[in-house]
Amino acid sequence: MTLEASMCFAVKNSNKPMMLTVICAIAHVTVKNMPTLYQHKEEKFFLNDEGRKEPVPSIHDPPIVVVPSYNEEDWLPLMMDEGLDYLEKKKKQDPSFTDEVIVLNDGSKDQTRKVAMEYCKKYGSDKVQLFSMVKSRGRGGAVRMVIDTFISFCV
């Protein structure tokens, strides 16, 4: 049975496990290697609320919320206010709950960095951190870079 015939058969007969197998097979055959990411020295640090560089924390630290941002100076305050409000309510419900928010500035050309620094100053760098990329990598590339950075600090 060809791949196309298998897919049609799986869809027609609502055979979900078979459909999933076919989709995985297609993904496996068509996937390409991920590009190598190059990280600048400046990207191994975040700026604290005083504007000083600090090393990125370990992935084993408290839950981390990553906020990818590229030219989001208008949107960022709304998202941060709503998100931080939610996290504060969660902390009131469970005093042992801790968290961190990382604003991932993906090489923005507007005032995104400045807006994010205002939140760092307001909440402190133990709560909100700014991680700035030297150049834009796109949301996926930027998030991957942060995750790779956290993992490399753990190893």
Side-chain angles (χ1 to χ4, degrees):
M1 186 180 293
T2 68
L3 196 58
E4 292 84 11
S6 296
M7 185 71 111
C8 290
F9 177 80
V11 170
K12 185 177 180 181
N13 295 308
S14 297
N15 189 339
K16 291 179 185 175
M18 184 175 181
M19 188 182 318
L20 181 59
T21 303
V22 171
I23 291 170
C24 289
I26 292 170
H28 180 71
V29 170
T30 60
V31 73
K32 296 181 178 158
N33 290 336
M34 293 293 289
T36 303
L37 293 176
Y38 299 100
Q39 187 174 27
H40 296 270
K41 290 178 186 176
E42 297 87 19
E43 295 170 347
K44 294 184 179 185
F45 300 92
F46 71 91
L47 296 177
N48 68 16
D49 55 330
E50 297 169 356
R52 289 193 317 249
K53 290 183 180 178
E54 291 187 22
V56 175
S58 166
I59 199 167
H60 299 293
D61 289 343
I64 297 169
V65 178
V66 178
V67 182
S69 303
Y70 179 76
N71 293 340
E72 303 285 359
E73 68 179 308
D74 295 329
W75 168 85
L76 193 59
L78 176 64
M79 184 272 150
M80 292 293 288
D81 289 341
E82 188 174 318
L84 289 166
D85 183 49
Y86 171 81
L87 293 170
E88 289 299 315
K89 286 178 183 174
K90 185 153 180 74
K91 182 157 182 76
K92 286 179 183 173
Q93 292 172 353
D94 179 6
S96 67
F97 177 78
T98 59
D99 63 305
E100 293 178 23
V101 176
I102 295 178
V103 178
L104 175 56
N105 178 26
D106 187 26
S108 297
K109 305 291 184 212
D110 66 356
Q111 298 298 313
T112 298
R113 184 177 190 273
K114 181 181 175 186
V115 171
M117 277 305 296
E118 290 172 13
Y119 282 91
C120 293
K121 290 175 184 175
K122 181 177 178 180
Y123 289 92
S125 59
D126 58 327
K127 177 80 171 175
V128 178
Q129 301 161 7
L130 172 61
F131 190 91
S132 286
M133 307 304 256
V134 172
K135 66 176 192 169
S136 178
R137 289 178 169 83
R139 284 184 196 240
V143 170
R144 181 171 172 226
M145 181 64 73
V146 168
I147 291 171
D148 288 350
T149 300
F150 280 99
I151 291 171
S152 69
F153 276 100
C154 295
V155 180

